[in-house]
Amino acid sequence: MEHRMNVIIHNYKGIHARIAAMIVFRANQINNQYGVYMFIQKKSGKQKIPITSMVALTSLGVKSGDEVTLLCQGEKGAEALQEMTQYLSGQIEIDKANIDEMDTIIENATLTSEKIFESLSNGLVVVDENNNITTFNRAAEIITGLKRENVIGKKAQEVLEDSKLHVVLKTGQEVKGARQKIGKTTIITNRTPVIVEDKIVGAVAIFQDISEIDRLSSALESVKELKERFHNILEHAHDAISMVDDQGIITYVNPAFEEMWQVQRQEILGKNISDTFAQDVGIEVLKSGKKKLGARIQKEDGTKIISNASPIFINGMMKGVVATSKEVTELQKMMEKLEAAEAKVKYFQEELYRKDKFDEAFQRIIGKSGSLREILTIASKAAKTSSTVLIRGESGTGKELLARAIHQTSEKKNKPFIRVNCAAIPESLLESELFGHEKGAFTGAIRRKLGKFELANHGTIFLDEIGDISRDMQVKLLRVLQEREFERVGGLETIKCSVRVVAATNKNLEQAMLQGSFREDLYYRLNVIPITLPPLRDRKGDIPLLAEHFIEKISKRENMTVKGISKNVLGLLEAYHWPGNIRELENIIERALALGEGELLDEDALPGYLKSENTPKTVELVNLVNGEVMSMAAYEKQIIQKALQKHKSFNRAGKALGLAHRTIALKARKYNLISEE
């Protein structure tokens, strides 16, 4: 039986936290005394709450003068209500004797609230009247990626972009279902003001991560789009396509099917395939659950049709059959067209093979000149063997690039490619560099070191500037080429190696043999497949392609806007004699991109010597000794001296005279000229 009784709250501050704690304390005593359970309800409200719940009691917001209804369940409910009503109707004074119990109730209520906040799966942010964050639960931390210790006490708008809680504090307006982005997370939030005695004292935001919902929504849109595309494909397919479900009911036919069988889809959809097309191959597939290919059907008019049908399985269950059909006569026409196309492809392949017989790796070498294509054809054939290759050519012609292309095209492409610049390594260290050394082999050899030949085992070793090694080293290298074995410096163990050797030089090895500086037997060991790269001045038709390639390469590397190149600049580049070859061209393009302005590379961005070389000059040879012609050596000394005085370095003087840097250096020493290089 439930008892009711109304009471007006006269306490001058209504039921606030401390008073609520005292009411809960007194209600517990009465419940225990009479064996009942009491509830409280605002007169204007519909929901009754336990009067022993401090959190619920405080949330009622009962003020002085408000009327509430007390309800009680139990046999002695009337007596209990009478005692509780009497307690509530007067001025409730704080009982100092029970102050500890009150504090315990308040503390438990606070802890309960905090645990509730922490257990929420939704994020909870509470701010005070100054928009300072006072509560930030665990779910809020997870959703926002922020730590509460970093946000408590701070302004909401400072740590939560677009929180708008300050707007709620100002207007007092509640906001529901607002979408908001926090970093990469999408949330939906409700914002509510906290009002006490008609005054806004704070605001609460409760929010939920809906990123997954957004993702699923997006995925659903993708599925819809995919379904639409699939439908369009079926509708526009040239083959006749039909689908039936696991009961044999026709669920789909495309326009090509309608045309082939002279039917309208609305007449056959929903009918059983056995009743409509008794010869259909799908009937057999429905029974067997196995696909059927190449089934032949003949129409009443004699037209022959080839059909294929496959079962549709979803989660291991057969859900239907899809069939495709095509008229044999049309298939024959297609076969004839296919044969003709294959014949054309074969012809074009043969033509392409004649013009371009090398692997994709060689495509990285820019140029279409006949001399270059012949070289690449030879290199492509050489790559298919394990024979030693000797690449010759001036500095800057791309010898290393060609060596790498040979390696990448060979069967050893997945093995090491080891490069050794023989001219850059001191003579005393070259043997150790090539063959390695044992611990203690010489001063400073504190541990065993593997040589380049060992590192290149089963791969390719590229010996650049092979013409610069000494005769002693030539003997040791010859043994490796002949016997495929060597010993480390200071070692006794003979090491076998299987390595492909590609050597390169810009020296005249034939002349070096005559002079005795290069061994004849080593020359013939290296010169198995000789390849000579042409200098850039002999393939000037490739300069536009190379310039364009370097512009794109450098622009990408330096994050520049790709520029064009004017005809005047191309003309100057093609007219230049290029002593530094492709390397010099790349350097000039890089300089022009760095210094040039506008969308095109113009003459102003080019070095002066390149422009001046194409300006007509008057050359006058001065006779220095009584008007008589001097020896060539005297003229050569004067010219090199003048060039060094003007250009200040071997490199620039060599470019001005069309000679290599090393040649200028040697002749300067020969004539005892002083250079500032």
Side-chain angles (χ1 to χ4, degrees), residues 87-316:
Y87 180 75
L88 291 177
S89 61
Q91 284 291 334
I92 302 174
E93 299 292 340
I94 297 176
D95 188 350
K96 294 182 180 180
N98 296 317
I99 193 69
D100 290 339
E101 286 82 354
M102 305 299 114
D103 288 342
T104 300
I105 292 172
I106 294 173
E107 183 178 354
N108 289 338
T110 303
L111 291 174
T112 300
S113 300
E114 290 177 353
K115 288 181 180 179
I116 291 172
F117 294 159
E118 285 300 293
S119 65
L120 290 174
S121 60
N122 292 343
L124 173 70
V125 178
V126 181
V127 297
D128 61 17
E129 58 188 332
N130 297 314
N131 202 28
N132 294 320
I133 296 175
T134 60
T135 301
F136 198 81
N137 73 345
R138 183 173 176 272
E141 287 186 307
I142 295 172
I143 295 172
T144 64
L146 301 172
K147 295 294 184 182
R148 73 181 77 191
E149 58 263 24
N150 296 330
V151 299
I152 294 294
K154 294 185 178 179
K155 300 286 185 183
Q157 63 268 29
E158 292 178 2
V159 294
L160 293 172
E161 183 180 355
D162 200 30
S163 70
K164 296 186 179 178
L165 285 173
H166 61 287
V167 177
V168 175
L169 288 171
K170 182 177 180 181
T171 63
Q173 297 294 318
E174 185 179 27
V175 178
K176 291 186 177 181
R179 293 172 67 91
Q180 182 181 334
K181 293 287 288 186
I182 299 178
K184 295 183 179 180
T185 303
T186 303
I187 65 168
I188 187 166
T189 179
N190 295 335
R191 308 184 190 100
T192 308
V194 178
I195 301 175
V196 177
E197 297 181 357
D198 297 327
K199 180 182 178 182
I200 298 174
V201 297
V204 178
I206 299 177
F207 49 90
Q208 181 180 0
D209 184 356
I210 60 168
S211 300
E212 184 66 14
I213 297 173
D214 271 6
R215 189 190 66 78
L216 292 174
S217 176
S218 176
L220 181 60
E221 288 298 320
S222 298
V223 170
K224 289 181 179 178
E225 182 180 349
L226 184 62
K227 182 180 177 181
E228 185 65 27
R229 288 184 180 181
F230 181 63
H231 179 74
N232 289 335
I233 291 171
L234 295 178
E235 288 291 293
H236 295 90
H238 195 61
D239 291 357
I241 301 174
S242 62
M243 296 183 191
V244 299
D245 64 16
D246 57 342
Q247 301 301 315
I249 304 301
I250 300 172
T251 58
Y252 175 80
V253 295
N254 71 340
F257 186 97
E258 293 178 289
E259 184 178 349
M260 176 179 287
W261 294 101
Q262 296 297 304
V263 294
Q264 297 293 321
R265 68 177 75 185
Q266 57 266 27
E267 297 174 357
I268 61 173
L269 290 179
K271 294 184 178 180
N272 195 287
I273 190 72
S274 301
D275 300 334
T276 313
F277 300 99
Q279 301 181 64
D280 195 275
V281 68
I283 299 173
E284 182 179 344
V285 175
L286 272 175
K287 295 177 180 178
S288 66
K290 299 179 180 179
K291 64 182 177 182
K292 181 79 173 178
L293 303 178
R296 292 179 175 268
I297 302 172
Q298 186 167 329
K299 295 170 61 177
E300 293 180 357
D301 61 2
T303 303
K304 294 181 179 179
I305 295 172
I306 293 180
S307 295
N308 300 319
S310 298
I312 301 171
F313 285 96
I314 300 176
N315 295 329

Side-chain angles (χ1 to χ4, degrees), residues 66-77:
D66 287 350
E67 185 175 2
V68 297
T69 301
L70 297 179
L71 303 94
C72 188
Q73 295 175 352
E75 294 182 1
K76 297 183 178 181

